[in-house]
Amino acid sequence: MENIAATDTGWKPIPLPLKILFVVFILWIVGALMNLPNLMENGLPLFGTFVYGMSAALIVLMLDIIGPVIFLFALWTRKSWGVKWAFAYIGFFILNNTVALFTVRAELGLPQILGPTIAGLVFLAVVFWQRCYFDQTH
């Protein structure tokens, strides 16, 4: 197996599980953009309450677009803070969904809450499993 230096960046040195996550995040971003008008009109949960309009758009922008883009940048450029960023923003996402599970489940439905929550947990597991990729000292 080829020895890849810790400073190598770009697509090639990224381990396969993180490449899959990279593609999933790209699709997540595209899906968020496509669903944005729906979320602005019908609202989305934020810690037990629904937000609509531009407030909903800002939340989608932060959690579903900017958050993944920053992580993808950290992944592509092999930034050591990438794991911490993933845990912070995905953790926020999971916490918000957990609150929604207990507060707005009747309005949203269980699958619409559990699906993204389970996806977030899987994302965190993959990042944790592959965290050594971000360690530039090995």
Side-chain angles (χ1 to χ4, degrees):
M1 187 161 163
E2 183 180 330
N3 186 14
I4 298 173
T7 57
D8 285 351
T9 61
W11 183 254
K12 189 174 180 178
I14 298 174
L16 181 60
L18 289 175
K19 284 180 180 177
I20 294 168
L21 192 59
F22 191 100
V23 172
V24 168
F25 275 160
I26 295 294
L27 295 174
W28 191 281
I29 292 166
V30 170
L33 289 170
M34 291 174 62
N35 195 33
L36 185 59
N38 175 49
L39 292 173
M40 290 175 68
E41 183 177 332
N42 297 320
L44 62 89
L46 181 64
F47 293 112
T49 186
F50 274 89
V51 293
Y52 301 89
M54 287 306 296
S55 297
L58 288 173
I59 292 167
V60 169
L61 180 68
M62 295 302 295
L63 288 182
D64 293 330
I65 299 169
I66 293 176
V69 165
I70 292 172
F71 175 72
L72 293 177
F73 169 78
L75 180 59
W76 190 269
T77 59
R78 210 166 184 171
K79 300 294 184 192
S80 60
W81 49 263
V83 173
K84 291 177 185 170
W85 175 257
F87 271 76
Y89 105 83
I90 297 172
F92 180 86
F93 185 80
I94 292 170
L95 179 61
N96 183 44
N97 285 348
T98 303
V99 171
L101 180 65
F102 296 105
T103 58
V104 295
R105 178 176 48 207
E107 292 90 343
L108 285 180
L110 195 57
Q112 287 76 12
I113 296 172
L114 287 183
T117 304
I118 292 169
L121 290 170
V122 170
F123 298 163
L124 285 182
V126 170
V127 170
F128 183 76
W129 172 38
Q130 296 293 313
R131 68 191 179 278
C132 63
Y133 166 78
F134 296 92
D135 181 11
Q136 295 190 13
T137 61
H138 72 277

